[in-house]
């Protein structure tokens, strides 16, 4: 049967043609195509993994930022409360100091007043003494002129004194 | 296959029909799927192809037009030739077939199948070199046009045929598998075209499938590692079974590519035979009224054949990679 009897000529040409086709396609088609496909697949893969890494980095940065923000907020609060404390302290200190100073001033004023009072009292005493001496002198002089007159005078003078 | 077959069958079968007055569908079909020394276009028109003969006295090269019409004797340099059933036979002076001379004449003609194979080869080269240049032009970019049409097929062969069957070392065999796949596919498809540039039956020819099977046989056995040979010569069986195992395994070495050869050949040849038989019905009944039935069935079979065309290319490639994979498989956990 011719159908299942291979012909030598066709075997020869098929082998030759197939090997040449294999060589040419292998060199100029399959190799560059497969290399390009592989390269593209790799570049896609690296791009994807890089995107993943960037995403991770982003989330890391975000969380870091948040932490920083939280820390900053805490620090701000701490600073504010510290400032408040210091302010209060300063105010209370100032109050204390003012009170002390006031007390001191008042004390000083009192001392001064007392001094002045004492001086004034001394002066008053002196004047009283001088007046008493003057009155006594005048009384004495009048007594020496006329008793009655003198008495009146004394009385009058006394009245005067009382009035003055 | 529809349009040209009746005319062609008619054209070729005219002579016997006139002689015997009867149409022989078997003979017509067999002639149709066999190789020819000329490429028929339409009706009686054909492209003559070069005849190359290697004889004991030297090469003979002449046009096959010299042998037409069939039965005409051509006087060559060394012998006289005549075409009998599309085969070149040496004849003596009186026109009788010279058996002694025939043994010395080897036919290396560029037949229809060879010419078709070259044409399909050129198409393959054109297509895939342009695809490859597409990758060079648009490096790293998405494929375009023909490139995007071929890339899924190439990736299918790589990811679904080569990688799962061969394993990590698949890359070395990719050029072979891709070439085999597209060679079979394009020749199957060209075989489906009933007129020029198709109309030949390359993958349904046992010489071609034999050659492809031998290529796979060589690749498998050259790449076979020690586990492959150990499995053949020293399988884990009691020693007295070994001789039987050797016979079985050695038959297995040859039967695997043999199955490849027969599967592709039989599938493609059978498809052509079925279609041609259906068309022959018109001539058997000798009535035009049967032609709608013939054509309807032939179209139906043709549609199935289109599926078979792809399927056989896939199966051949898949089994080839499976055999290669079995030969180069590493057994890391050998249980002895």
């Amino acid at each position: 049967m011719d159908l299942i009897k291979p012909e030598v000529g066709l075997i020869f040409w098929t082998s030759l043609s197939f090997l040449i086709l294999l060589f040419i396609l292998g060199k100029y088609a399959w190799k560059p195509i497969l290399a390009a496909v592989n390269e593209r697949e790799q570049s896609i893969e690296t791009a994807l993994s890089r995107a993943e890494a960037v995403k991770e980095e982003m989330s890391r940065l975000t969380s870091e930022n948040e932490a920083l923000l939280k820390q900053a907020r805490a620090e701000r609060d701490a600073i504010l409360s510290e400032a408040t404390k210091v302010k209060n302290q300063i105010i209370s200190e100032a109050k204390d100091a003012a009170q002390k100073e006031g007390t001191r001033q008042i004390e000083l004023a009192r001392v001064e007043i007392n001094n002045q009072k004492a001086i004034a009292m001394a002066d008053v005493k002196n004047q009283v003494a001088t007046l008493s001496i003057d009155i006594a002198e005048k009384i004495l002089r009048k007594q020496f002129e006329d008793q009655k007159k003198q008495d009146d005078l004394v009385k009058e003078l006394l009245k005067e004194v009382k009035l003055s | 296959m529809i349009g040209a077959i009746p005319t062609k069958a008619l054209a070729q079968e005219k002579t016997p029909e006139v002689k015997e007055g009867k149409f022989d569908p078997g003979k017509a079909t067999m002639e149709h799927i066999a190789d020819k020394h000329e490429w028929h276009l339409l009706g009686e028109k054909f492209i003559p192809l070069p005849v190359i003969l290697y004889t004991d006295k030297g090469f003979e090269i002449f046009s096959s037009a010299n042998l037409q019409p069939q039965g005409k004797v051509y006087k060559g340099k060394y012998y006289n030739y005549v075409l009998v059933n599309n085969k070149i036979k040496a004849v003596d002076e009186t026109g009788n077939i010279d058996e002694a001379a025939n043994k010395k004449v080897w036919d290396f003609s560029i037949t229809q199948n060879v010419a078709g194979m070259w044409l399909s080869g050129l198409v393959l080269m054109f297509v895939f070199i342009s695809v490859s240049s597409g990758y060079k032009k648009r490096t790293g970019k998405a494929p375009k046009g023909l490139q995007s049409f071929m890339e899924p097929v190439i990736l299918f062969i790589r990811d679904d045929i080569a990688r799962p069957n061969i394993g990590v070392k698949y890359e070395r065999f990719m050029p072979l598998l891709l070439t085999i796949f597209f060679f079979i596919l394009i020749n199957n498809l060209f075989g489906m075209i009933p007129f020029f540039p198709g109309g030949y039956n390359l993958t349904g020819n046992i010489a071609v499938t034999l050659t492809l099977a031998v290529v796979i046989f060589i690749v498998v056995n050259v790449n076979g590692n020690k586990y492959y040979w150990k499995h053949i010569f020293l399988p884990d069986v009691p020693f007295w079974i070994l001789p039987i195992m050797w016979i079985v395994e050695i038959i297995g070495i040859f039967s695997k590519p043999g199955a490849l050869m027969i599967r592709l050949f039989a599938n493609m040849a059978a498809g052509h035979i079925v279609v041609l038989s259906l068309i022959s019905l018109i001539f058997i009944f000798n009535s035009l009224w049967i032609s709608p039935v013939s054509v309807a069935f032939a179209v139906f079979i043709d549609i199935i054949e289109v599926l078979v065309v792809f399927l056989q290319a896939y199966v051949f490639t898949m089994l080839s990679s499976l055999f290669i994979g079995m030969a180069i498989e590493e057994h890391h956990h050998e249980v002895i």
Side-chain angles (χ1 to χ4, degrees):
Chain A
M1 215 160 146
D2 281 349
L3 192 63
I4 51 164
K5 207 169 77 193
E7 290 145 45
V8 179
L10 193 53
I11 291 177
F12 168 76
W13 288 117
T14 308
S15 323
L16 190 69
S17 312
F18 183 78
L19 291 179
I20 291 171
L21 193 68
L22 179 61
F23 174 76
I24 290 176
L25 284 182
K27 188 163 180 192
Y28 297 107
W30 308 135
K31 222 180 218 175
I33 288 173
L34 290 171
V37 168
N38 269 346
E39 202 178 303
R40 200 179 55 206
E41 274 170 1
Q42 247 154 31
S43 85
I44 288 171
E45 211 164 293
T46 46
L48 282 179
S49 62
R50 207 174 294 158
E52 195 64 32
V54 166
K55 214 162 88 184
E56 244 164 59
E57 178 75 12
M58 273 295 287
S59 71
R60 198 181 61 78
L61 277 179
T62 313
S63 66
E64 211 168 78
N65 272 357
E66 232 151 71
L68 271 179
L69 210 64
K70 212 183 260 176
Q71 204 185 329
R73 228 174 254 150
E75 225 158 82
R76 185 200 64 184
D77 286 352
I79 287 169
L80 271 182
S81 71
E82 182 79 9
T84 316
K85 220 160 59 186
V86 168
K87 180 194 79 177
N88 288 343
Q89 199 184 336
I90 287 171
I91 287 173
S92 73
E93 265 172 20
K95 254 186 199 160
D96 279 1
Q99 216 157 8
K100 247 184 228 162
E101 182 63 18
T103 324
R104 201 177 61 87
Q105 289 287 341
I106 289 166
E107 195 60 35
L108 273 177
R110 199 162 40 210
V111 169
E112 185 64 23
I113 287 167
N114 283 347
N115 284 350
Q116 290 298 327
K117 211 166 100 183
I119 290 166
M121 285 301 271
D123 206 19
V124 168
K125 275 179 189 161
N126 276 347
Q127 277 188 8
V128 168
T130 318
L131 272 176
S132 310
I133 291 166
D134 279 355
I135 292 166
E137 191 187 315
K138 276 174 186 168
I139 294 168
L140 282 173
R141 274 195 193 144
K142 280 282 174 155
Q143 269 182 332
F144 283 117
E145 286 166 14
D146 179 33
Q147 196 59 45
K148 191 140 170 349
K149 257 188 179 175
Q150 278 179 7
D151 289 340
D152 289 344
L153 190 66
V154 169
K155 273 178 191 167
E156 211 169 310
L157 283 170
L158 280 170
K159 264 180 203 165
E160 259 172 49
V161 169
K162 258 181 196 167
L163 280 172
S164 65
Chain B
M1 293 241 115
I2 309 309
I5 268 92
T7 35
K8 277 171 83 182
L10 197 63
Q12 282 179 8
E13 288 314 304
K14 217 173 238 170
T15 334
E17 233 175 315
V18 170
K19 267 186 203 162
E20 298 153 28
K22 207 171 168 236
F23 172 68
D24 182 357
K27 193 164 173 286
T29 305
M30 284 307 152
E31 245 174 40
H32 219 90
I33 61 169
D35 207 356
K36 284 172 270 299
H37 282 278
E38 63 284 322
W39 204 332
H40 279 273
L41 296 175
L42 268 179
E44 296 287 357
K45 289 202 188 81
F46 63 87
I47 301 170
L49 295 164
V51 173
I52 302 167
L53 299 173
Y54 176 74
T55 70
D56 54 337
K57 292 167 190 161
F59 279 103
E60 286 233 51
I61 299 166
F62 56 91
S63 163
S64 72
N66 293 316
L67 295 166
Q68 289 291 340
Q70 276 211 28
K72 190 187 154 198
V73 177
Y74 170 74
K75 284 192 197 307
K77 261 189 286 179
Y78 311 117
Y79 296 100
N80 297 327
Y81 306 101
V82 72
L83 215 50
V84 179
N85 287 334
N86 281 312
K87 288 222 160 40
I88 292 171
K89 298 283 184 199
V91 288
D92 55 22
E93 301 297 326
T94 54
N96 292 320
I97 291 169
D98 184 350
E99 291 297 343
N102 265 328
K103 290 213 171 78
K104 296 174 197 157
V105 176
W106 295 84
D107 187 355
F108 286 99
S109 302
I110 309 304
T111 57
Q112 189 193 23
N113 274 342
V114 177
M117 181 167 58
W118 288 353
L119 189 71
S120 66
L122 286 177
V123 171
L124 280 186
M125 281 184 213
F126 173 76
V127 167
F128 286 105
I129 289 172
S130 75
V131 166
S132 146
S133 75
Y135 282 100
K136 230 172 273 168
K137 254 184 269 165
R138 290 185 291 278
T139 311
K141 286 185 191 159
K144 213 175 135 191
L146 196 60
Q147 195 189 352
S148 61
F149 185 72
M150 287 302 171
E151 186 177 308
V153 185
I154 295 170
L155 291 184
F156 170 74
I157 293 169
R158 191 190 65 174
D159 297 338
D160 291 320
I161 298 179
R163 222 194 306 236
N165 286 317
I166 299 179
V168 282
K169 290 185 209 150
Y170 74 96
E171 257 170 81
R172 264 176 61 209
F173 303 99
M174 277 308 288
L176 176 74
L177 294 175
L178 285 167
T179 310
I180 280 197
F181 179 81
F182 284 107
F183 180 82
I184 293 172
L185 181 64
I186 196 169
N187 282 306
N188 282 353
L189 284 171
F190 271 37
M192 295 296 295
I193 306 170
F195 38 75
F196 186 84
Y200 60 88
N201 178 28
L202 189 76
T203 43
N205 190 305
I206 194 130
V208 176
T209 58
L210 172 73
T211 312
L212 294 178
V214 167
V215 170
I216 296 304
F217 174 80
I218 293 169
V219 169
V220 166
N221 287 293
V222 164
N223 286 292
N225 60 14
K226 58 180 174 182
Y227 301 107
Y228 173 73
W229 294 112
K230 185 187 171 293
H231 182 74
I232 288 167
F233 291 109
L234 289 168
D236 302 323
V237 291
F239 69 95
W240 51 271
I241 304 182
L242 274 180
I244 305 168
M245 290 309 289
W246 289 343
I247 295 166
V248 169
E249 289 291 348
I250 287 165
I251 291 171
I253 295 176
F254 291 98
S255 73
K256 279 184 211 155
L260 282 181
M261 169 181 84
I262 290 165
R263 183 180 296 106
L264 181 59
F265 156 73
N267 271 285
M268 295 323 293
H272 286 244
I273 288 169
V274 169
V275 170
L276 288 162
S277 306
L278 287 168
I279 296 299
S280 294
L281 281 178
I282 301 168
F283 300 97
I284 293 165
F285 286 96
N286 207 5
S287 155
L288 201 61
W289 297 106
I290 200 77
S291 60
V293 179
S294 285
V295 170
F297 274 103
V299 168
F300 172 67
I301 296 295
D302 260 339
I303 291 167
I304 293 175
E305 275 299 287
V306 171
L307 176 71
V308 171
V309 153
F310 285 93
L311 196 68
Q312 287 306 317
Y314 164 70
V315 166
F316 197 100
T317 317
M318 205 268 283
L319 287 176
S320 301
S321 51
L322 189 71
F323 296 154
I324 294 171
M326 279 159 71
I328 66 165
E329 196 183 2
E330 298 278 348
H331 295 264
H332 290 297
H333 308 291
E334 190 86 28
V335 184
I336 298 171

